[in-house]
Amino acid sequence: MGRPAFTRFLNTARSPRTGSPAGVRLGAEFVTWEDLLRRGREQATAIRPGHAYVVDPSAGLDALAGLFAVATVPDTTLLWAVPGPLGVACRPVAPAVSAVAPPVTGGPDRPLWGVCTSGSSGTPKVAIGYADQWEAIALHYEQALYGPRYAGDPDTAVATCLPPQFSATFFMTVLPSLFLRRDLLLFAPHDWTAVHALAARRPTVVLAVPAVAAAACLGTTASADMSRATLFLGGGHVSGERARLIRQRYTGVELVNLYGTAETGAVSTDHDPGHNQHVGRPVDGKAVWLHDVGDDGVGTLAAAGPDCAAYRWRPGETPIAHDGYVTGTDYARFDDDGRLCLEGRVDGGEKFNGVLVYPRSVERHLLALDGVVDARVLVRRTPTGLEQLVARVVGRVDEGTVREHCAVLTPTDQPTVVECVNERDAAPAYSSHGKL
């Protein structure tokens, strides 16, 4: 990658108004950005120009030092991913850093970086972009998402409970904190105490998923003053009930629903979530349009910007190059006010007993039922060959109510198995990625 990726970071002296050097806090540990850069430079002797490396984001602060180790050596490719699910041969060379075969060969002579976009099930997929655009990405998110409320304020801190390997975590928290010398708090999903304390003192941007934020609110009866904080929620459904709960517990918080993918980066934001109608307007400065639009105004979502992937790669396969823009995984349309409305996944169809069904369409129908705060529909295939259309529903509803609500659907779209759980007891139903 090399020094150009860190021009602003290396040349800009910027500290919060507290007067203390900015850095990263993880639990009881705190390390300044300068110390992480120093550690990375010391480890860079093990990094060879022109080679590719996996940096393990789950390694805590060692991962950030490893990031610097790779990024400060010219012409390297950095894969920000947990090595195991990636499924490639790795040779450890430094703490949290392993050498791997380059995923892209014969491409443009530019530094590359990649992040896993999936892997909790199925074969991991890696979005690969240009690392010399990291600074542009940091400035884009600073201005488009954090401004005008926070942009330019050196005292603003950033916090997240999402795993560092998430592309949203990297784009929205790591890069802006790194390049603009912001304090970064990495906290456990079950304990928001440090966030409450931070937001009481300073302007704070928080990134989480709806299920985690709702669980944090349900875990306490006391409200916290979050009037100096903005809470970005991505990776799940923000129901009206969840929005009300969060605003009740976190008084004064600015609540924003975030939509996007690892391949596209942030696409749109909704500053008044909870209506289940749209995902807001496109992010300022981001090119967002519809590809192959039909007579009904619905097309495949497309986007272009510094955070969009240049390649899509599955380990063991040849990387697929994008042609200057990325088509997303969703069909969408724009309403009369320019807000983006999702109309199902491009790859959302599944065979169920020989008939094509669309689980996402059934999920949208379930989310319209009063008392439902989240829903997931999937085709379950048992070892005996029996197929079931399973609906997992979180909220204040029972099986009978769900089945009655689904009676208007075609018989093939009606769930054969309904699993209901109260939100207070829903934590075990979610994966570590915040997915139901």
Side-chain angles (χ1 to χ4, degrees), residues 104-180:
V104 178
T105 57
D109 188 20
R110 296 176 67 179
L112 298 173
W113 89 290
V115 60
C116 277
T117 67
S118 61
S120 57
S121 61
T123 304
K125 185 172 57 175
V126 181
I128 297 176
Y130 298 122
D132 53 14
Q133 291 187 301
W134 276 5
E135 183 176 348
I137 294 172
L139 294 175
H140 170 69
Y141 278 76
E142 169 82 2
Q143 295 295 327
L145 297 187
Y146 303 156
R149 184 175 182 183
Y150 299 120
D153 186 347
D155 204 37
T156 301
V158 181
T160 185
C161 60
L162 295 186
Q165 62 263 33
F166 280 19
S167 60
T169 308
F170 194 83
F171 287 154
M172 291 185 63
T173 67
V174 174
L175 287 185
S177 300
L178 186 159
F179 280 103
L180 298 167

Side-chain angles (χ1 to χ4, degrees), residues 208-287:
V209 296
V212 169
C217 291
L218 287 167
T220 177
T221 57
S223 62
D225 181 3
M226 297 278 277
S227 57
R228 305 185 74 182
T230 296
L231 175 55
F232 285 91
L233 297 177
H237 179 62
V238 185
S239 67
E241 191 164 331
R242 278 183 171 168
R244 288 190 294 273
L245 173 66
I246 293 170
R247 290 188 173 113
Q248 180 184 33
R249 293 288 195 272
Y250 295 156
T251 57
V253 70
E254 180 181 3
L255 188 60
V256 182
N257 186 33
L258 175 73
Y259 167 73
T261 69
E263 293 97 333
T264 62
V267 170
S268 63
T269 53
D270 179 6
H271 289 257
D272 188 23
H275 44 73
N276 194 36
Q277 301 298 317
H278 58 78
V279 290
R281 291 183 172 82
V283 171
D284 290 345
K286 188 73 169 284

Side-chain angles (χ1 to χ4, degrees), residues 124-397:
K125 185 172 57 175
V126 181
I128 297 176
Y130 298 122
D132 53 14
Q133 291 187 301
W134 276 5
E135 183 176 348
I137 294 172
L139 294 175
H140 170 69
Y141 278 76
E142 169 82 2
Q143 295 295 327
L145 297 187
Y146 303 156
R149 184 175 182 183
Y150 299 120
D153 186 347
D155 204 37
T156 301
V158 181
T160 185
C161 60
L162 295 186
Q165 62 263 33
F166 280 19
S167 60
T169 308
F170 194 83
F171 287 154
M172 291 185 63
T173 67
V174 174
L175 287 185
S177 300
L178 186 159
F179 280 103
L180 298 167
R181 305 293 180 98
R182 297 204 183 282
D183 279 322
L184 173 61
L185 170 65
L186 304 175
F187 65 97
H190 62 275
D191 186 1
W192 287 52
T193 306
V195 180
H196 302 161
L198 186 64
R201 303 191 312 268
R202 302 165 60 179
T204 305
V205 172
V206 186
L207 175 65
V209 296
V212 169
C217 291
L218 287 167
T220 177
T221 57
S223 62
D225 181 3
M226 297 278 277
S227 57
R228 305 185 74 182
T230 296
L231 175 55
F232 285 91
L233 297 177
H237 179 62
V238 185
S239 67
E241 191 164 331
R242 278 183 171 168
R244 288 190 294 273
L245 173 66
I246 293 170
R247 290 188 173 113
Q248 180 184 33
R249 293 288 195 272
Y250 295 156
T251 57
V253 70
E254 180 181 3
L255 188 60
V256 182
N257 186 33
L258 175 73
Y259 167 73
T261 69
E263 293 97 333
T264 62
V267 170
S268 63
T269 53
D270 179 6
H271 289 257
D272 188 23
H275 44 73
N276 194 36
Q277 301 298 317
H278 58 78
V279 290
R281 291 183 172 82
V283 171
D284 290 345
K286 188 73 169 284
V288 179
W289 69 98
L290 302 179
H291 194 62
D292 293 333
V293 181
D295 294 338
D296 56 359
V298 176
T300 304
L301 184 73
D307 51 349
C308 288
Y311 298 88
R312 185 175 70 254
W313 173 59
R314 290 187 185 276
E317 300 179 5
T318 302
I320 299 174
H322 295 299
D323 188 22
Y325 67 94
V326 179
T327 52
T329 57
D330 291 304
Y331 291 117
R333 62 178 174 82
F334 287 103
D335 67 12
D336 292 340
D337 292 320
R339 297 171 302 200
L340 194 64
C341 304
L342 302 183
E343 296 293 338
R345 289 178 62 89
V346 173
D347 58 352
E350 291 190 56
K351 282 294 184 68
F352 172 55
N353 291 331
V355 178
L356 190 64
V357 298
Y358 292 89
R360 302 300 177 269
S361 176
V362 181
E363 287 173 5
R364 291 201 304 275
H365 181 74
L366 290 170
L367 291 170
L369 175 60
D370 187 40
V372 173
V373 298
D374 207 353
R376 172 79 188 278
V377 176
L378 68 157
V379 176
R380 176 191 291 164
R381 295 174 175 86
T382 68
T384 62
L386 178 67
E387 293 185 351
Q388 301 169 324
L389 188 64
V390 180
R392 295 174 179 166
V393 181
V394 177
R396 296 176 290 101
V397 293

